[in-house]
C-alpha cells in the first residue's frame, strides 16, 4: 500500500479557492514569524491592520480609492490575456490617460460638469488607446512581440509626465515642485471619499465579462486567444480582433489614469501611477485572466497595499512590506499549482 | 519466418536482452499498463501490436526511462535495472526512434548525430563531424548525407538519421514507434532490410505498429496489448491477420469494401460541385507547395488523395477549404469561379474540413467542449441573436453533436483536451459533417485512431457519400483509400501524378507514383 500524488488536468473550483486561502494564511504566518524575530509583535500588527482597514469607514474608503485603479488596470491586462497577448504597458497607458485628462481639465474653463466628465472619460480612454497603438499595429501586422514594445513605452510615458509636471505644466502658484495646477473638474464622490470611478470600474469589469461570454465577438476573442490557428480555420478575423482588444485594453488603463487625476489626486504629478499598471499584471494573474475575478483579485491587492501603508506607520520598512506582498503572491502561485494535485492510494495488488 | 540465427545467438542459457515483468502504470482514471510481461531475446524483431490507447507507448516510455512504473520490474541481460531517465536507458543500450522525429531542422545531419552525445569531440570542425558521421553511416550501412540539413531531407531520410543517432550510441535494442507511417512502400522495404541486418548482428528490435501485414512480414514474435494488458505473445509464423486483428480489438472486425453502395449513383453524369483548375499555392515559408493541380469533384463520390505526408496534402486541404490563397489557376464551386475564397465563406457554402492536426488547428484545446463544438455554427441562429452569443443554446448544440458522435462527455465545461484523441476526432468529424452540405475535406482522419474508431470514421464518410456529399479523403493508408474511394489521385511534390479509378487501381503503381516514379521511368531504370 503506497500513496502517490496525481496531477489533474484542471483543478476543482472548490479546491482551488481553498488552496488560495491556505496559501495566504501560510504566507502571513511565515511573514509573522520573520517579523517576530526582528522584535516586532506580529499579532498586534495584524490586529492593527485589520482594525484600521475594516474597523472604520475611513479604512474602507481608503480601500475603495486603492481598488478602483487596480480593477481598471487588472481588467486591461486580463482582457488582452484572453486573446493570448500580454499588455505589460498598462502603466504607460495609465500615465497617458492621466496626461490627456489633465490637459483637457486644465485648459477648458467653465464647461458644465456632466459634459466635462464625459469628455474627460473619453480623453483618458483616447490617451491610453493611443499609447498602445504602435505596439498594436506592430503586433498585428509585423508580429512584433508586444511584451517588449508595451513595456518600453512605460518608461517613455513616465518620463513624459515627470517632464510636464516639473516643467511646462508646473503649478507656479503653489509651492509644489513636481505637480501641475489643480484640474478644474472633479469626479463627484460616491461614498465618503470614494469617487464614482469605483462603481464605473465594477460596471466595466461586469461589462467586459458579459462581452466575452455573451457576444459573438467575445467568443471569437476566446477562440483566437486559445488557438489562433483554430480561429483562422473557422474563418475568424484574428488580426482585427487583436487590434480591437489591444486598443480597448489601452483605453481601460487610460481611464484608470483619468480617474486617478480627476477623482483622487486632482493634479498630475510624477509617480501618480503608484505602480498601478504593474500591479494590474498581478491582479490579472491572480484573476487567471477572468474579467469577473478581477474584482476580488483587485480587492485583495488593495488590502495588501493598504496593509503596507498601515505597517509603514508602525515602523515597518517599505522593503519589508514589499517582501510580504511578494510572499503572499508566491504562496498563491504555489497554492494554484497544488490545487491540481490529489493524493491517490496505489495498492500493491489492484483489483 | 523464424530465423535460424535467433536460436544460435539467443538460445538457452543466454538471458533475454529485456525482460519486463508485471509492469503497471496508472494515470488519472486510466489504467495505462497492468501486469504486462514482455520478453525480447537477442537477435529477434519483436512486434508490439495494439489499438491506440492499448498501452504500447506507455510501456515503451517505461522501458526507456521516461516514465517510472508503479509496479513490476525490468531485467536487462539478467540484471535488475532501474532507469531514472532516458539517459540511463541509452547507457544500457536501449534506444528509441519516436513517431515524431526529434531532430533539429536547421542543423545538418552530422550536427544532429553529435548533439547531446558524450562522445562528441569537445572541439570539432564541421568537416570532422561529417567525417565521423560518414564512418558511422558506413559501419551501420545506413545511407545518409552528413552535410545536408534536416529540412532538406525526405521523411525516410530523416528516419535513417534518427536510427543512426540511436545506433551510434551503441544501442543493442532499437525501439521503433510506427516507423512506416511516413514512408513510401519502397522506403519501408529499405527500412526492413536495415532492421534485418541489425538483427543478424545479435541485436533486437521492438517494432510498434498497428499495420498487420508489415508486422507479419518483419517480426519474429508478436506481443499483443489490449486495454493496458498483455493479451498474448505468439511466433509470427503461427499468426495470420484475422487472428491478430481479433486479439487486438477483442472481437472480429470486417475490413469491408466500402465502395459497395445501396444507392445507385452515377457520379460522372452530375455536374461537378468543386473544381480546381491548374491551381498553384505556396506553403507557410513562401515556397511553392502546389503546382498545376486540377481536380474535379462530383456529388456522391469519394476522391482519395494518396501520397506520402508532406507532398502538399496540407496545402491542398487548405486550398479546398479557403484557408490558403492560391497563386495561380482557379477554384470553381458549383461551376462559379470563386475570386477570393475565405474559410468562413467556404464553410457557409457547405464545405466541411477535418484538418490534419486536430489539436493544432481544429480545436482550441484549453477551451470547453461546448466552445469547441460550436465553432462552425456560432454565427447562426439559434446560437446567435444579432451580435449576441447564447451560451445556453451553444450547450444544447454541443450535446447534440456529442450524442451524434457517440462521445460521452462528463462535463461540457471541461477543456476539450481532457477528451481522448479518438473522441476529439469523432467530435470534430460530427461537427464538420453538420456543415458539409456539399463537400467534406478530411485530412488523415484515421491518424492516431484505433481500429474501432477508424471504422466509425469511415462509416461516416460512406454515410455522407450516400447522402450526395463529395468527400475528399487525404490519407497515407493505401488500403484505406482503395477500400473507400471511387477515384484516387496521387500527390507528389505538389503535383497530381495521376488519377485512377479505384476499382482498377493497383497497389504497386500507386506506390511507385507516391515515390515520384512513373511506371515508365521505373521500367527504364
Amino acid at each position: 500500500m503506497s500513496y502517490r500524488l496525481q496531477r489533474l488536468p484542471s483543478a476543482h473550483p472548490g479546491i482551488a479557492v481553498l488552496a488560495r486561502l491556505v496559501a495566504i494564511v501560510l504566507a502571513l504566518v511565515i511573514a509573522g514569524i520573520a517579523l517576530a524575530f526582528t522584535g516586532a509583535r506580529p499579532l498586534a500588527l495584524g490586529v492593527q491592520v485589520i482594525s484600521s482597514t475594516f474597523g472604520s469607514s475611513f479604512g474602507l474608503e481608503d480601500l475603495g480609492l486603492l481598488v478602483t485603479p487596480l480593477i481598471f488596470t487588472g481588467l486591461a491586462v486580463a482582457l488582452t490575456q484572453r486573446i493570448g497577448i500580454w499588455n505589460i504597458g498598462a502603466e504607460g497607458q495609465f500615465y497617458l490617460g492621466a496626461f490627456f485628462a489633465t490637459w483637457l481639465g486644465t485648459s477648458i474653463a467653465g464647461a458644465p460638469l456632466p459634459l466635462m466628465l464625459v469628455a474627460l472619460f473619453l480623453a483618458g480612454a483616447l490617451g491610453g488607446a493611443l499609447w498602445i497603438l504602435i505596439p498594436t499595429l506592430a503586433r498585428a501586422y509585423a508580429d512584433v512581440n508586444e511584451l517588449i514594445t508595451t513595456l518600453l513605452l512605460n518608461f517613455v510615458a513616465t518620463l513624459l509626465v515627470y517632464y510636464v509636471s516639473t516643467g511646462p505644466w508646473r503649478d507656479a502658484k503653489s509651492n509644489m515642485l513636481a505637480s501641475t495646477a489643480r484640474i478644474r473638474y472633479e469626479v463627484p464622490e460616491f461614498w465618503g471619499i470614494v469617487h464614482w470611478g469605483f462603481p464605473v470600474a465594477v460596471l466595466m469589469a461586469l461589462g467586459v465579462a458579459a462581452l466575452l461570454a455573451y457576444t459573438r465577438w467575445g467568443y471569437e476573442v476566446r477562440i483566437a486567444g486559445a488557438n489562433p490557428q483554430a480561429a483562422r480555420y473557422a474563418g475568424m478575423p484574428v488580426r482585427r480582433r487583436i487590434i480591437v482588444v489591444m486598443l480597448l485594453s489601452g483605453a481601460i488603463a487610460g481611464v484608470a489614469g483619468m480617474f486617478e487625476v480627476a477623482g483622487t489626486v486632482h493634479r498630475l504629478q510624477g509617480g501618480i501611477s503608484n505602480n498601478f499598471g504593474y500591479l494590474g499584471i498581478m491582479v490579472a494573474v491572480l484573476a487567471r485572466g477572468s474579467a469577473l475575478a478581477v474584482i476580488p483579485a483587485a480587492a485583495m491587492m488593495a488590502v495588501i497595499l493598504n496593509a503596507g501603508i498601515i505597517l509603514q506607520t508602525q515602523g515597518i520598512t517599505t522593503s519589508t512590506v514589499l517582501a510580504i506582498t511578494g510572499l503572499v503572491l508566491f504562496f498563491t502561485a504555489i497554492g494554484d499549482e497544488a490545487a491540481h494535485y490529489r493524493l491517490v492510494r496505489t495498492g500493491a495488488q489492484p483489483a | 519466418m523464424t530465423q535460424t540465427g535467433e536460436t544460435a545467438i539467443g538460445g538457452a542459457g543466454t538471458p533475454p536482452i529485456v525482460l519486463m515483468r508485471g509492469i503497471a502504470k496508472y494515470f488519472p482514471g486510466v489504467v495505462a499498463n497492468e501486469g504486462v510481461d514482455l520478453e525480447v531475446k537477442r537477435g529477434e524483431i519483436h512486434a508490439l501490436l495494439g489499438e491506440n490507447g492499448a498501452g504500447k507507448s506507455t510501456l515503451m516510455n517505461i522501458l526507456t526511462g521516461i516514465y517510472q512504473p508503479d509496479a513490476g520490474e525490468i531485467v536487462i541481460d539478467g540484471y535488475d535495472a532501474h532507469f531514472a531517465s532516458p539517459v540511463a536507458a541509452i547507457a544500457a543500450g536501449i534506444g528509441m526512434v519516436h513517431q515524431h522525429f526529434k531532430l533539429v531542422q536547421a542543423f545538418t545531419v552530422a550536427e544532429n548525430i553529435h548533439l547531446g552525445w558524450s562522445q562528441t569531440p569537445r572541439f570539432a570542425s564541421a568537416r570532422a563531424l561529417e567525417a565521423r558521421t560518414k564512418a558511422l553511416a558506413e559501419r551501420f550501412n545506413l545511407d545518409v548525407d552528413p552535410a545536408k540539413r534536416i529540412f532538406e531531407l525526405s521523411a525516410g531520410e530523416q528516419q535513417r538519421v534518427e536510427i543512426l543517432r540511436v545506433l551510434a550510441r551503441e544501442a543493442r535494442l532499437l525501439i521503433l514507434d510506427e516507423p512506416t507511417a511516413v514512408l513510401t512502400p519502397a522506403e519501408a522495404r529499405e527500412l526492413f532490410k536495415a532492421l534485418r541486418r541489425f538483427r543478424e548482428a545479435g541485436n533486437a528490435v521492438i517494432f510498434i505498429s498497428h499495420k498487420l501485414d508489415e508486422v507479419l512480414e518483419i517480426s519474429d514474435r508478436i506481443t499483443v496489448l489490449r486495454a493496458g494488458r498483455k493479451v498474448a505473445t505468439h511466433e509470427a509464423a503461427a499468426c495470420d491477420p484475422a487472428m491478430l486483428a481479433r486479439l487486438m480489438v477483442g472481437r472480429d472486425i470486417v475490413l469491408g469494401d466500402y465502395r459497395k453502395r445501396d444507392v445507385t449513383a452515377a457520379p460522372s453524369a452530375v455536374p461537378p460541385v468543386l473544381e480546381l483548375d491548374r491551381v498553384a499555392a505556396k506553403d507557410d515559408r513562401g515556397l511553392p507547395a502546389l503546382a498545376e493541380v486540377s481536380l474535379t469533384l462530383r456529388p456522391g463520390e469519394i476522391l482519395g488523395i494518396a501520397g506520402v505526408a508532406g507532398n502538399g496534402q496540407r496545402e491542398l486541404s487548405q486550398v479546398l477549404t479557403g484557408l490558403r490563397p492560391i497563386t495561380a489557376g482557379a477554384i470553381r464551386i458549383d461551376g462559379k469561379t470563386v475570386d477570393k475564397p475565405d474559410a468562413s465563406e467556404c464553410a457557409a457554402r457547405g464545405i466541411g474540413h477535418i484538418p490534419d492536426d486536430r489539436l493544432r488547428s481544429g480545436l482550441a484545446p484549453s477551451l470547453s467542449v461546448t466552445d469547441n463544438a460550436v465553432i462552425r455554427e456560432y454565427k447562426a441562429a439559434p446560437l446567435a441573436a444579432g451580435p449576441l452569443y447564447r451560451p445556453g443554446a451553444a450547450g444544447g448544440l454541443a450535446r447534440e453533436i456529442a450524442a451524434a458522435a457517440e462521445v460521452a462527455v462528463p462535463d461540457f465545461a471541461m477543456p476539450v483536451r481532457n477528451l481522448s484523441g479518438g473522441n476529439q476526432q469523432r467530435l470534430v468529424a460530427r461537427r464538420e459533417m453538420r456543415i458539409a452540405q456539399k463537400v467534406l475535406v478530411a485530412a488523415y482522419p484515421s491518424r492516431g485512431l484505433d481500429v474501432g474508431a477508424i471504422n466509425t470514421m469511415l462509416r461516416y464518410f460512406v454515410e455522407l457519400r450516400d447522402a450526395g456529399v463529395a468527400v475528399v479523403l487525404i490519407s497515407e493508408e493505401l488500403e484505406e483509400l482503395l477500400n473507400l474511394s471511387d477515384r484516387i489521385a496521387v500527390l507528389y511534390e505538389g503535383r497530381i501524378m495521376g488519377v485512377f479509378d479505384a476499382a482498377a487501381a493497383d497497389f504497386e503503381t500507386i506506390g511507385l507514383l507516391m515515390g515520384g516514379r512513373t511506371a515508365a521511368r521505373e521500367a527504364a531504370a
Side-chain angles (χ1 to χ4, degrees):
Chain A
M1 193 75 78
S2 62
Y3 290 89
R4 245 166 23 82
L5 280 178
Q6 193 177 62
R7 193 179 196 285
L8 303 171
S10 46
H12 189 273
I15 303 285
V17 170
L18 189 71
R20 281 211 169 173
L21 287 177
V22 171
I24 292 167
V25 170
L26 273 180
L28 292 179
V29 166
I30 288 179
I33 292 171
L35 280 176
F37 274 111
T38 65
R41 295 189 352 267
L43 276 181
L45 284 175
V47 169
Q48 168 95 23
V49 164
I50 290 168
S51 67
S52 352
T53 309
F54 301 104
S56 68
S57 68
F58 298 116
L60 288 173
E61 285 167 32
D62 283 343
L63 217 54
L65 282 185
L66 283 173
V67 82
T68 303
L70 286 172
I71 292 178
F72 281 121
T73 54
L75 191 61
V77 180
L79 176 61
T80 51
Q81 270 189 316
R82 290 312 286 269
I83 201 161
I85 282 174
W86 278 99
N87 176 12
I88 304 296
E91 183 84 359
Q93 294 137 25
F94 181 106
Y95 270 119
L96 257 286
F99 174 85
F100 269 51
T102 307
W103 171 72
L104 195 71
T106 50
S107 54
I108 295 178
L113 184 66
L115 185 73
M116 263 328 271
L117 286 177
V118 172
L120 285 172
F121 183 92
L122 293 177
L126 183 69
L130 270 182
W131 207 242
I132 203 175
L133 182 64
I134 292 172
T136 301
L137 296 179
R139 163 70 203 225
Y141 290 96
D143 221 14
V144 176
N145 191 326
E146 75 284 351
L147 278 173
I148 315 287
T149 49
T150 52
L151 174 69
L152 291 182
L153 280 173
N154 286 345
F155 304 115
V156 181
T158 309
L159 291 173
L160 173 75
V161 167
Y162 265 104
Y163 169 68
V164 294
S165 56
T166 55
W169 289 5
R170 190 168 82 89
D171 186 9
K173 278 177 267 174
S174 77
N175 291 325
M176 287 197 227
L177 285 174
S179 179
T180 64
R182 196 177 166 89
I183 72 165
R184 298 169 205 265
Y185 308 90
E186 272 182 26
V187 178
E189 267 127 25
F190 165 69
W191 173 67
I193 56 167
V194 181
H195 54 79
W196 272 86
F198 176 70
V200 170
V202 171
L203 281 179
M204 196 170 281
L206 295 176
V208 168
L211 196 64
L212 287 169
Y214 296 104
T215 67
R216 275 164 39 187
W217 183 88
Y219 175 75
E220 289 173 351
V221 166
R222 287 187 287 129
I223 295 280
N227 184 1
Q229 273 203 44
R232 266 177 226 118
Y233 157 85
M236 297 172 182
V238 176
R239 180 180 287 166
R240 289 210 318 257
R241 296 293 172 268
I242 286 179
I243 291 173
V244 172
V245 163
M246 286 183 78
L247 292 180
L248 191 59
S249 165
I252 292 171
V255 166
M258 166 265 164
F259 273 117
E260 198 63 9
V261 162
T264 307
V265 184
H266 305 295
R267 297 166 188 274
L268 184 65
Q269 44 189 238
I272 190 175
S273 86
N274 259 328
N275 285 332
F276 285 134
Y278 292 118
L279 292 169
I281 298 169
M282 291 206 225
V283 169
V285 170
L286 285 173
R288 298 186 154 210
S290 150
L292 272 187
V294 158
I295 300 173
M300 180 184 143
M301 186 61 72
V303 170
I304 293 174
L305 288 181
N306 199 40
I309 295 167
I310 296 162
L311 286 178
Q312 281 177 51
T313 65
Q314 301 299 311
I316 307 289
T317 61
T318 328
S319 323
T320 312
V321 172
L322 264 177
I324 296 172
T325 313
L327 209 57
V328 168
L329 291 170
F330 183 61
F331 270 70
T332 310
I334 295 175
D336 281 0
E337 185 54 29
H340 279 81
Y341 287 85
R342 70 168 178 201
L343 202 60
V344 289
R345 208 162 59 182
T346 51
Q349 278 99 31
Chain B
M1 283 306 275
T2 319
Q3 302 292 306
T4 47
E6 184 202 327
T7 40
I9 301 167
T14 329
I17 201 161
V18 165
L19 188 62
M20 297 177 90
R21 260 201 301 252
I23 298 292
K25 179 77 191 171
Y26 307 97
F27 292 115
V30 181
V31 178
N33 282 144
E34 198 168 83
V36 177
D37 301 327
L38 179 71
E39 179 205 47
V40 182
K41 297 178 199 159
R42 283 163 206 281
E44 82 164 337
I45 297 180
H46 196 117
L48 200 54
L49 197 64
E51 290 189 300
N52 259 87
K56 297 171 301 205
S57 302
T58 307
L59 189 66
M60 289 304 105
N61 283 335
I62 289 170
L63 183 54
T64 52
I66 294 171
Y67 291 153
Q68 304 306 314
D70 292 334
E73 54 176 356
I74 302 174
V75 181
I76 306 290
D77 297 324
Y79 296 97
D80 259 353
H82 285 282
F83 298 138
S85 73
V87 179
I90 291 165
I94 298 174
M96 179 155 177
V97 174
H98 292 267
Q99 201 173 353
H100 302 284
F101 302 145
K102 300 186 184 323
L103 297 169
V104 183
Q105 291 287 317
F107 278 16
T108 64
V109 170
E111 285 164 339
N112 270 287
I113 296 281
H114 287 90
L115 197 62
W117 187 18
S118 58
Q119 289 183 37
T120 303
R122 192 164 288 274
F123 300 101
S125 66
R127 207 182 306 154
L129 290 185
E130 280 161 24
R132 281 174 59 98
T133 307
K134 196 151 176 281
L136 283 169
E138 275 162 16
R139 185 177 143 207
F140 293 107
N141 212 347
L142 286 165
D143 181 26
V144 294
D145 183 345
K148 276 237 172 105
R149 293 186 188 276
I150 298 300
F151 64 81
E152 299 173 300
L153 303 181
S154 73
E157 290 170 309
Q158 293 190 23
Q159 190 178 56
R160 281 206 287 279
V161 176
E162 277 276 19
I163 294 175
L164 186 59
R165 224 173 94 96
V166 173
L167 296 189
R169 286 153 177 74
E170 303 299 337
R172 295 172 302 129
L173 173 67
L174 181 62
I175 304 170
L176 296 167
D177 191 0
E178 309 229 350
T180 58
V182 293
L183 303 183
T184 61
E187 282 176 320
R189 278 198 292 275
E190 280 300 309
L191 171 70
F192 286 1
K193 266 191 221 159
L195 293 184
R196 290 198 179 102
R197 279 197 302 271
F198 185 64
R199 170 179 66 187
E200 269 145 36
N203 300 307
V205 176
I206 295 180
F207 189 92
I208 303 174
S209 179
H210 54 234
K211 295 185 188 170
L212 305 177
D213 288 336
E214 67 182 31
V215 161
L216 285 169
E217 184 191 336
I218 186 73
S219 53
D220 304 310
R221 288 196 302 159
I222 301 170
T223 291
V224 182
L225 295 185
R226 186 169 75 220
R229 292 166 180 83
K230 187 183 109 166
V231 181
T233 300
H234 288 296
E235 295 285 330
C239 296
D240 65 73
M243 158 197 171
L244 288 177
R246 209 160 40 237
L247 286 174
M248 253 166 82
V249 298
R251 61 180 186 275
D252 279 302
I253 52 158
V254 191
L255 291 169
D257 180 2
Y258 293 94
R259 264 183 281 137
K260 287 184 200 127
R261 53 184 82 188
D262 310 328
V263 198
T264 44
S268 56
V270 267
V273 59
L274 183 65
E275 275 176 290
L276 296 188
D277 187 7
R278 299 160 68 86
V279 162
K282 293 192 163 129
D283 66 11
D284 291 334
R285 287 180 298 174
L287 303 172
L290 292 177
E292 301 267 324
V293 171
S294 295
L295 287 173
T296 309
L297 201 58
R298 291 175 203 282
E301 75 164 343
I302 296 180
L303 173 66
I305 306 285
V308 177
N311 274 294
Q313 286 92 335
R314 199 174 124 75
E315 287 77 11
L316 178 63
S317 67
Q318 290 174 338
V319 162
L320 286 169
T321 51
L323 275 167
R324 186 171 290 275
I326 56 174
T327 51
I331 301 177
R332 281 189 286 273
I333 300 178
D334 284 331
K336 283 189 283 282
T337 304
V338 186
D339 293 327
K340 266 189 80 180
D342 74 89
S344 63
E345 195 197 324
C346 280
R349 284 185 176 216
I351 301 178
H353 181 199
I354 300 175
D356 56 347
D357 188 340
R358 57 188 169 257
L359 267 185
R360 252 173 50 200
S361 42
L363 294 170
S366 61
L367 293 188
S368 69
V369 175
T370 300
D371 279 345
N372 277 284
V374 304
I375 197 168
R376 287 299 195 183
E377 292 175 68
Y378 74 98
K379 274 189 203 170
L383 269 65
L388 296 185
Y389 166 79
R390 297 168 55 206
L397 177 60
R399 256 169 269 276
E400 202 180 318
I401 292 174
E406 289 164 25
V407 172
V409 180
D411 174 11
F412 280 81
M414 79 179 187
V416 77
R417 64 162 167 247
N418 291 8
L419 293 177
S420 75
N423 282 345
Q424 288 171 7
Q425 183 75 322
R426 283 224 281 266
L427 216 54
V428 170
R430 273 293 163 184
R431 180 184 81 193
E432 297 305 311
M433 282 169 72
R434 285 175 60 90
I435 64 151
Q437 299 301 318
K438 289 196 184 114
V439 179
L440 178 71
V441 178
Y444 309 110
S446 55
R447 193 185 262 176
L449 298 189
D450 58 52
V451 178
I454 290 174
N455 278 338
T456 313
M457 192 67 53
L458 302 188
R459 258 199 297 114
Y460 288 173
F461 298 152
V462 171
E463 217 175 283
L464 280 181
R465 177 200 68 194
D466 290 345
V469 174
V471 178
V472 179
L473 175 62
I474 300 175
S475 175
E476 47 203 6
E477 308 284 341
L478 266 186
E479 226 175 293
E480 179 179 300
L481 288 171
L482 287 166
N483 268 336
L484 203 62
S485 319
D486 297 296
R487 291 183 300 143
I488 294 179
V490 184
L491 197 60
Y492 176 74
E493 293 198 332
R495 286 170 187 276
I496 299 286
M497 304 293 283
V499 183
F500 301 90
D501 201 344
D506 82 288
F507 207 86
E508 208 55 24
T509 317
I510 292 179
L512 287 174
L513 290 175
M514 279 168 63
R517 299 175 178 201
T518 58
R521 253 161 60 199
E522 182 71 0

